[in-house]
Amino acid sequence: MVVDTAQRRLEDMLADLDQAIAVLRSEHPEADQHTADAGASLSATDRAEAALDAMRRERAEVLAALARTRAGTYGKCVDCGRPVPEGRLEARPAAARCVTCQAKHDRFRR
Ligand SMILES: [Zn+2]
């Protein structure tokens, strides 16, 4: 994928995430403050909190990928430096690692 194309897609993703986060925060202000009171539906708050966490993580990945497009290292695995396969970048423009390194990374994280 051409870096310009990747950059545009990443910027679109960032805008979408920012919007989704803003919507979720306005609908579930308690999820953002971690101060859910006992009367509120805890499971809904928990779900909103989990969704917010996931979106913030994805947002951080997108921002890191955008930084790599500017640094000229986009498309290279951040761990081994080998090119990340085109198909993987197409499916996941924010991917930071090749499949092998991502698998290792995920194993360590669990
Ligand atoms: Zn790698």
Side-chain angles (χ1 to χ4, degrees), residues 22-102:
V23 168
L24 200 61
R25 284 177 69 173
S26 67
E27 285 174 356
H28 298 273
E30 75 284 0
D32 201 37
Q33 292 156 9
H34 299 273
T35 52
D37 66 84
S41 165
L42 262 184
S43 61
T45 304
D46 287 349
R47 270 199 302 277
E49 219 176 278
L52 265 178
D53 274 358
M55 282 192 276
R56 287 202 181 106
R57 264 198 305 275
E58 199 181 335
R59 189 176 183 278
E61 278 175 28
V62 170
L63 281 178
L66 272 173
R68 289 196 299 279
T69 65
R70 284 190 291 268
T73 57
Y74 180 79
K76 287 196 188 83
C77 173
V78 296
D79 283 352
C80 70
R82 281 195 288 264
V84 178
E86 192 80 353
R88 179 167 165 73
L89 287 176
E90 287 284 346
R92 231 176 139 247
R97 293 174 180 84
C98 67
V99 180
T100 314
C101 292
Q102 187 63 53

